Amino acid sequence: PALRRLLNEPEASLAKGPWSFRILSIVLLSPVYAAMLCCFGTLAGRHLYFAGMAVKIWGRILPRPLSSRLLCSPARLKQAAKAADKEATPQVVKQA
């Protein structure tokens, strides 16, 4: 609704609206949603999980080198520990 008033396009939607509405909706709503997700996740005590989710959202918009820099230090450490654990776990190969 606020974006419709801003663009002065009362009959806009992602399905049948003008391209300006479609582009601005995606460009503006994804980062705002990611920031709100991270803030509310931090307030709920689940910062590491929601920080990872926010980076996944940003990763769809930004190139990988830029999106990986968005992680905070605790989330980076958790991601590195998870990757190290995955490498240390032996892979079981099923034979048919």
Side-chain angles (χ1 to χ4, degrees):
L3 192 56
R4 288 181 185 174
R5 280 187 234 120
L6 177 71
L7 295 175
N8 197 18
E9 297 175 357
E11 295 299 321
S13 72
L14 286 177
K16 58 184 176 182
W19 282 103
S20 61
F21 182 82
R22 293 173 183 165
I23 292 169
L24 282 176
S25 292
I26 293 169
V27 169
L28 291 178
L29 292 181
S30 294
V32 170
Y33 176 71
M36 287 177 54
L37 190 69
C38 195
C39 289
F40 287 120
T42 300
L43 291 174
R46 300 282 297 164
H47 173 75
L48 295 177
Y49 174 77
F50 285 105
M53 295 301 291
V55 168
K56 283 183 185 179
I57 292 169
W58 278 101
R60 293 181 182 123
I61 300 169
L62 299 174
R64 185 171 296 276
L66 286 176
S67 64
S68 64
R69 291 183 186 177
L70 294 174
L71 274 176
C72 61
S73 298
R76 273 193 202 130
L77 290 173
K78 182 177 180 182
Q79 189 179 44
K82 188 183 262 188
D85 187 39
K86 195 178 253 187
E87 289 176 3
T89 306
Q91 298 293 325
V92 177
V93 179
K94 292 183 180 180
Q95 295 181 355

